[in-house]
Amino acid sequence: MFSIIAIGKMRGRAELDLFNRYAKRIRPSLDLIEINESKGQPIETKIKDAQNLLKAVPEKSLIISLDEGGKSYNSFDFAMHMQKCLELSKSISFLIGGAEGLHASAIKTSHSVISLGKLTWPHMIARILLTEQIYRAQMILSGHPYHRQGRP
C-alpha cells in the first residue's frame, strides 16, 4: 500500500482529476491523506504540521519525505529505490509538508528523503508529480513500455 500524506487540501478539479488519473492505476492502492494546515508562527506551524503528518502514517509504514534537500533521482533510479523500500515494508508513506516545508522531526523519522529536483513546485503539483512517478516506477519494475527512455 502507498500513501501520500500532505498538508493542505486539493481543491482544484483539474489537479484532482490529474492526480486521480495516475492514482487509480497504482497497485496496491494509493491513498491520499490530507491534513489541515496549522495556524501560528512559521516555526510553530512546521512543528504542528510535522506532528500531524506523523500521526497519520499507517502503522509499520516506511516513511519517505519530500524535501528540497533530499536526494534527486531519475525515474529508473527512483524505481530501484522504491523496490528496495518495498523489500523492507509492504507499506510506504510519502510526506509532503506545507508552505514552510517539513520540520526536522519529520525528516529525522524518515527512511529516506527525496527531492523532485531543484525547481520549486506548488504542493498540489508535487502530489501529481509524485503520483505519476510512483506509477512510472511500477511500470519500470514490471518491464511495461510506459517508460520509454532512460533505461540502463
Side-chain angles (χ1 to χ4, degrees):
M1 180 177 115
F2 299 99
S3 57
I4 295 176
I5 306 170
I7 298 298
K9 305 272 185 188
M10 285 187 101
R11 299 195 197 292
R13 188 72 196 152
E15 291 109 351
L16 195 52
D17 286 347
L18 194 51
F19 173 85
N20 286 330
R21 177 186 299 177
Y22 295 105
K24 70 181 180 184
R25 298 176 187 178
I26 294 172
R27 300 288 179 261
S29 66
L30 171 80
D31 293 327
L32 176 62
I33 302 168
E34 296 180 308
I35 308 293
N36 289 326
E37 293 178 75
S38 300
K39 305 284 187 224
Q41 297 299 316
I43 189 62
E44 294 169 354
T45 299
K46 272 179 94 163
I47 293 169
K48 288 179 198 173
D49 285 348
Q51 291 168 345
N52 291 333
L53 287 167
L54 293 170
K55 281 183 204 171
V57 173
E59 193 173 318
K60 297 183 181 179
S61 188
L62 187 140
I63 299 171
I64 299 175
S65 290
L66 272 68
D67 184 77
E68 65 185 355
K71 182 173 180 177
S72 291
Y73 291 95
N74 64 35
S75 294
F76 182 81
D77 291 337
F78 178 70
M80 297 302 104
H81 182 65
M82 290 277 300
Q83 184 175 37
K84 287 178 185 173
C85 290
L86 288 168
E87 290 169 4
L88 297 173
S89 177
K90 300 272 188 243
S91 175
I92 299 175
S93 294
F94 294 89
L95 302 184
I96 301 176
E100 301 299 328
L102 282 173
H103 187 261
S105 60
I107 292 172
K108 286 178 189 172
T109 305
S110 302
H111 172 75
S112 65
V113 183
I114 65 171
S115 170
L116 294 177
K118 294 184 186 252
L119 298 172
T120 301
W121 298 102
H123 294 93
M124 300 310 154
I125 293 175
R127 295 171 197 198
I128 296 165
L129 293 171
L130 176 59
T131 303
E132 192 279 338
Q133 285 300 301
I134 294 168
Y135 174 69
R136 182 176 296 273
Q138 288 187 327
M139 295 300 95
I140 290 169
L141 294 171
S142 71
H144 190 280
Y146 177 82
H147 181 75
R148 302 182 194 280
Q149 52 187 316
R151 291 190 177 107

